[in-house]
Amino acid sequence: MTEENIHSTIRPLVTVFLQELMKEYWGPLYNHIKNNPALIKTVPGFLLDHQGIIVYVGRTHIAIEYTGPEVISELKNEGVMQVQCHDYSTKDCNLFEQIIGFEYDSTLDLSMPLPPFSEDLLLPTNKGWDKLSELGWNFAAQNSIMGFNIPSPEPMPGQFTRIVNGMFFDADESGLKSRRIKWLDFFPIHFDGSEEKSDCISFSVSNMKKLVNHDANYSYPMPDDYKYIQLPKINRFIEVWGNKDNTEPDITSHIARKENEFILTMKFGAIEIHSELTCEWQSEPRSPIRPDFFVVQPNGYADIVEFKLPDIGKHAIVGGRNRETFGAWLNSYISQTRVYSSYFDDPNNRKWFEQRYGFKVHKPRRWLIVGRRHDFDSDVWREIMSDYKDLEILTFDDLIDGIVVQFYK
């Protein structure tokens, strides 16, 4: 287990929590599957193949989110578990909204208690509902628990809560925002902040023993075409960008393969994609540019998608309070996409490009794919991002979520 992303102040709490979970749940679940090998084909793979988990510490709950493959073919005897952690214990907030990354905009001034167990939740914000309707989302295509104009969902204090295959949506001027949760468990905690110099947090996971047999026999809900046709391709893409030895060209060349083009066409609503087209300047002597991808929309105009690495290893935001700004490395990426936009501001360039490649680009929206969701999770980040025109930054997690949820339409 690696714990680089665990803050030192809550490291002891998270370490003990994971150790107890291993003793009371993960270990017994592994042994149960080992003794009943026929269950390997149906048990949710990420409960056993811990490629990554995310721990969220709040005032009333500790939550754990599983990432990884939905299906596995064998049990692993050993492996490395990547642990990410977010500490909201000192913040008066809705832990669920912090996890999904956006706030609900209901006209009702109250909260919605999450039930102890929820499968196939589909809960858009009001803006999300409007955007889904505009895009022609088929709400009747699957069995889901849906809500309209719902207040902010929250786990009840003192109650264990589980969300399985939850899909949550919001929207802004850049378009639809998707957040899929494969499996999320909320464990109730007792938080005592009465001491001036320290806080006391207590919890229990002993009841997880009772869920071992249930979870071992649980079949994760997935549409067949996703499970048997596209899921292996998406998993392979995750393996490519999840390998730190792979470069940006490794990632983009993988997506550019014909069998993988659906990754971008589904996410960006495109009818076709074109990779690394050379754009020669017509009005001034400058070196040609080659954006990673053009994603052509149904109206015949294309937007630009540029990939960077998922493992950034640097701070996205620098500067003191009220003087925050993006780090120099991120600003350099943004400047690169700005050059792309400048190229298509010149009508001579646009004419040359259309004649050569057969589609139009004018005032393109620029999409920068970089980092992981935990790299961009602060309110300050969203405030800075709102100052940029025609630019949207997506994480690799956002990209995958935006694809997967469409299989449930």
Side-chain angles (χ1 to χ4, degrees):
M1 177 176 68
T2 60
E3 302 179 346
E4 294 88 347
N5 294 314
I6 299 180
H7 302 291
S8 58
T9 54
I10 59 170
R11 183 184 296 273
L13 169 68
V14 173
T15 300
V16 172
F17 172 73
L18 297 179
Q19 289 173 344
E20 288 297 305
L21 208 55
M22 176 65 76
K23 181 178 70 174
E24 302 288 350
Y25 180 62
W26 291 336
L29 180 63
Y30 179 93
N31 291 329
H32 186 90
I33 299 299
K34 186 177 181 180
N35 295 330
N36 300 272
L39 295 176
I40 293 177
K41 296 181 180 180
T42 56
V43 66
F46 45 75
L47 295 180
L48 296 165
D49 187 358
H50 295 153
Q51 292 181 357
I53 61 171
I54 309 172
V55 180
Y56 307 90
V57 181
R59 290 289 185 92
T60 62
H61 292 82
I62 294 180
I64 181 169
E65 181 180 1
Y66 294 87
T67 63
E70 289 89 340
V71 293
I72 56 174
S73 58
E74 61 181 358
L75 287 175
K76 293 183 178 180
N77 293 324
E78 58 183 19
V80 177
M81 179 172 63
Q82 299 289 335
V83 180
Q84 301 170 16
C85 187
H86 300 276
D87 182 13
Y88 301 107
S89 61
T90 60
K91 187 176 181 180
D92 186 14
C93 62
N94 181 334
L95 181 61
F96 175 79
E97 288 185 336
Q98 296 296 322
I99 292 173
I100 64 172
F102 46 80
E103 298 179 359
Y104 279 76
D105 52 359
S106 172
T107 57
L108 304 174
D109 188 19
L110 45 85
S111 62
M112 183 190 82
L114 287 168
F117 177 81
S118 300
E119 182 183 85
D120 293 335
L121 273 181
L122 202 165
L123 299 181
T125 64
N126 289 344
K127 293 178 181 178
W129 267 107
D130 292 341
K131 179 57 68 172
L132 288 171
S133 300
E134 175 188 325
L135 296 173
W137 180 275
N138 187 349
F139 293 97
Q142 69 170 104
N143 294 323
S144 303
I145 301 175
M146 292 182 281
F148 179 74
N149 192 32
I150 62 169
S152 300
E154 281 190 278
M156 293 295 291
Q159 178 176 278
F160 175 81
T161 300
R162 171 173 288 175
I163 297 175
V164 176
N165 193 39
M167 288 171 279
F168 310 94
F169 301 92
D170 191 27
D172 59 18
E173 64 280 355
S174 67
L176 185 69
K177 295 185 177 295
S178 306
R179 176 69 161 99
R180 182 188 180 221
I181 290 176
K182 293 182 179 180
W183 192 289
L184 177 67
D185 286 341
F186 290 92
F187 296 85
I189 62 175
H190 175 69
F191 180 90
D192 184 359
S194 60
E195 294 292 331
E196 182 177 346
K197 295 184 178 181
S198 63
D199 298 323
C200 179
I201 300 177
S202 58
F203 63 88
S204 174
V205 299
S206 59
N207 287 337
M208 293 300 290
K209 283 184 177 180
K210 300 177 182 178
L211 292 175
V212 169
N213 184 65
H214 172 273
D215 294 350
N217 288 273
Y218 181 81
S219 295
Y220 189 79
M222 291 188 294
D224 287 343
D225 57 348
Y226 169 59
K227 182 176 181 179
Y228 297 110
I229 301 175
Q230 304 295 39
L231 175 58
K233 298 177 185 178
I234 295 176
N235 286 344
R236 176 57 185 149
F237 176 51
I238 294 173
E239 292 168 11
V240 170
W241 61 257
N243 186 338
K244 294 183 180 180
D245 292 332
N246 285 333
T247 62
E248 291 172 20
D250 291 328
I251 295 172
T252 54
S253 62
H254 182 84
I255 298 178
R257 296 174 187 171
K258 195 68 177 178
E259 67 270 20
N260 296 325
E261 287 184 352
F262 76 96
I263 292 174
L264 295 186
T265 57
M266 290 187 70
K267 170 57 186 174
F268 298 105
I271 57 175
E272 59 184 19
I273 70 169
H274 300 271
S275 64
E276 296 190 328
L277 300 181
T278 299
C279 305
E280 298 180 2
W281 297 79
Q282 302 301 302
S283 302
E284 51 186 316
R286 297 178 63 174
S287 299
I289 59 173
R290 300 182 70 192
D292 285 342
F293 292 97
F294 290 94
V295 290
V296 184
Q297 303 299 312
N299 63 4
Y301 286 83
D303 292 329
I304 295 174
V305 179
E306 186 74 13
F307 277 84
K308 299 301 178 183
L309 292 174
D311 184 28
I312 57 180
K314 305 172 185 176
H315 292 294
I317 299 174
V318 297
R321 185 180 295 275
N322 297 324
R323 294 184 178 181
E324 298 93 344
T325 185
F326 287 155
W329 64 271
L330 183 54
N331 274 321
S332 69
Y333 294 163
I334 294 173
S335 296
Q336 180 182 349
T337 69
R338 191 180 300 117
V339 172
Y340 300 159
S341 183
S342 298
Y343 174 91
F344 290 102
D345 284 341
D346 186 335
N348 294 325
N349 291 337
R350 294 199 301 271
K351 181 179 179 180
W352 177 89
F353 183 92
E354 183 180 356
Q355 289 177 343
R356 179 158 184 173
Y357 297 115
F359 60 92
K360 300 178 180 181
V361 184
H362 190 208
K363 302 297 182 182
R365 176 162 288 281
R366 298 164 287 143
W367 299 87
L368 179 62
I369 315 296
V370 61
R372 301 296 305 279
R373 183 172 286 129
H374 60 85
D375 296 316
F376 306 101
D377 66 344
S378 70
D379 294 336
V380 174
W381 152 260
R382 297 185 182 94
E383 291 175 3
I384 300 175
M385 193 65 239
S386 65
D387 293 334
Y388 287 81
K389 181 182 179 182
D390 295 329
L391 173 70
E392 183 73 11
I393 296 179
L394 293 180
T395 68
F396 279 78
D397 304 282
D398 296 327
L399 177 61
I400 296 300
D401 281 354
I403 301 164
V404 170
V405 294
Q406 296 188 59
F407 286 96
Y408 292 84
K409 290 175 67 174

